[in-house]
């Protein structure tokens, strides 16, 4: 019988989705913050609470200081599922939580990254009328080696070539009616089941599955340009961005409600943390890895290159 670690995990994930308690009806924000402490997520939480008073839920570790910080800001802390055996990278695990926490309830949703996101205006104003996805940069997928790598790995060279001229969309910020964001989350999990576990479960598989889902029309969505509701800044030249009057200002002088990847630019990251960091330590984005982490990454890389019996 064919065997796949990812498919075995996916069966657990489907069951785990049903075990989450959906948030109350209405607009909500959800994120996946395992591996972080209060200093890492303070800018996200404090900037969000300055502009949004609806339900917010973060999947987070059980660290008492972190849980106390979240409680002070009326953020629901959710335990991460416990998996039996192999499990994918957290960027894939998060879609289990998103689907469960959002459910089929009425209202709008923002499901997004946590560590590198801050807020400058209400994130769900105006209310989304349908699923919205956001351009990462004004370049096609063909110019993004990382995205092309995982498109090839997940769906093959021919499919990657078909998508090469499409816009690069960022899975780190998803906006829409709760039921539609939940449906997209389940679709991403299903698409990543091919071709094998160590690819479908890898960091980067989420981007590949998401871009294919949108560009192949597997789910309806409106593609929004950069610097609108969301500003994704990782690929924007730093000299085109500035921090002024307590806000990140886009190249066209606009100010976006949701700012993603500001931490790629030190001249934005430092003042943003000074404003929203709640007096906690300002962390560098990239931290030194332990020997065990380096060996684990090497092992995962080797397994990705080894055929999996199915």
């Amino acid at each position: 019988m064919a065997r796949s670690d990812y498919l075995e995990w996916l069966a657990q994930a489907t069951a785990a989705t049903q075990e989450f308690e959906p948030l109350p009806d209405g607009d909500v924000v959800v994120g996946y913050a395992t591996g972080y402490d209060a200093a890492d997520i303070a800018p996200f939480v404090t900037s969000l609470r300055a502009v949004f008073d609806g339900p917010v839920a973060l999947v987070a570790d059980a660290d008492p200081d972190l849980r106390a910080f979240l409680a002070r800001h009326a953020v629901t802390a959710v335990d991460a599922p416990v998996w039996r055996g192999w499990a994918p990278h957290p960027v894939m695990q998060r879609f289990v939580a998103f689907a469960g926490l959002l459910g089929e309830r009425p209202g709008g949703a923002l499901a997004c990254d946590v560590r590198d996101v801050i807020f400058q205006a209400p994130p769900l104003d105006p209310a989304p009328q349908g699923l919205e996805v956001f351009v990462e940069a004004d370049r096609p997928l063909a110019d993004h080696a990382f995205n092309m790598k995982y498109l090839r790995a997940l769906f093959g060279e021919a499919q990657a070539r078909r998508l090469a001229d499409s816009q690069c969309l960022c899975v780190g910020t998803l906006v829409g009616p709760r039921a539609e964001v939940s449906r997209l989350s389940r679709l991403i999990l299903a698409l990543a089941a091919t071709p094998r576990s160590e690819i479908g479960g890898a960091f980067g598989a989420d981007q590949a599955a998401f871009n294919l889902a949108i560009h192949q029309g597997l789910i309806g969505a409106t593609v929004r340009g950069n610097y609108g509701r969301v500003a994704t800044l990782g690929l924007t030249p730093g000299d085109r961005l500035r921090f002024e009057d307590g806000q990140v200002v886009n190249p066209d002088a606009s100010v976006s409600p949701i700012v993603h990847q500001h931490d790629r630019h030190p001249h934005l990251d430092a003042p943003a943390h000074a404003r929203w960091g709640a007096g906690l330590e300002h962390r560098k984005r990239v931290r030194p890895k332990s020997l065990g982490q380096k060996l684990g990454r090497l092992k995962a890389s080797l397994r990705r290159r080894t055929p999996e019996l199915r």
Side-chain angles (χ1 to χ4, degrees), residues 223-236:
V223 176
R224 303 291 190 194
N226 207 359
Y227 314 125
R229 186 191 298 268
V230 175
T232 301
L233 305 181
L235 296 174
T236 304

Side-chain angles (χ1 to χ4, degrees), residues 41-51 69 73 275-278:
I41 67 173
F44 177 97
V45 170
T46 58
S47 65
L48 177 59
R49 277 301 182 218
V51 297
F69 174 82
H73 292 86
R275 181 174 185 188
W276 298 116

Side-chain angles (χ1 to χ4, degrees), residues 20 24 26 60 98 140 143 146 173 200 217 227 229 243 249 275 287:
F20 283 92
F98 292 170
D143 290 347
F146 175 85
T173 51
Y227 314 125
R229 186 191 298 268
F243 195 88
V249 181
R275 181 174 185 188
R287 301 180 192 173

